[in-house]
Amino acid sequence: MQTEGSEVVRSMAADTRGKHRISAALKRLEQEAHSLEEELEQLENMETVSDVCNTIFNDVESRPDPLLPITNGPTNALWDRWFEGPNDKSDCKCCIL
């Protein structure tokens, strides 16, 4: 008889822990749903991305890059010869070209 009473107490304790786990999981899901609803509301109030991208693109395109010099052509024509290949490839003795 004592074993039946101890089994009932054990089952009640296990049931209490199970209820607590279920209520904690339910509360977590409610918090997650609430945060998703807030995020969805923020997204609905935002401008469309294409409008923002067009604004940024126009702003960036209108300003010159401060790190690049503004040149209309090569400043020194002799400088470009280092970046061009040889006129006659048979005279080239390098193995790259």
Side-chain angles (χ1 to χ4, degrees), residues 80-91:
D80 283 343
R81 72 183 179 111
W82 295 104
F83 299 104
E84 296 174 356
N87 293 337
D88 187 13
K89 296 208 188 250
S90 62
D91 290 342

Side-chain angles (χ1 to χ4, degrees), residues 26-43:
L26 183 62
K27 184 163 181 85
R28 183 178 46 86
L29 287 174
E30 287 173 351
Q31 288 175 346
E32 187 174 339
H34 181 68
S35 68
L36 289 174
E37 287 173 357
E38 287 178 350
E39 187 175 345
L40 183 62
E41 186 177 310
Q42 288 176 353
L43 288 174

Side-chain angles (χ1 to χ4, degrees), residues 61-90:
E61 193 177 56
S62 65
R63 290 190 233 167
D65 191 344
L67 300 176
L68 296 177
I70 299 173
T71 56
N72 294 332
T75 55
N76 186 354
L78 295 176
W79 181 257
D80 283 343
R81 72 183 179 111
W82 295 104
F83 299 104
E84 296 174 356
N87 293 337
D88 187 13
K89 296 208 188 250
S90 62

Side-chain angles (χ1 to χ4, degrees), residues 49-63:
V49 174
S50 60
D51 293 339
V52 174
C53 288
N54 284 333
T55 304
I56 292 173
F57 179 73
N58 291 335
D59 188 41
V60 168
E61 193 177 56
S62 65
R63 290 190 233 167

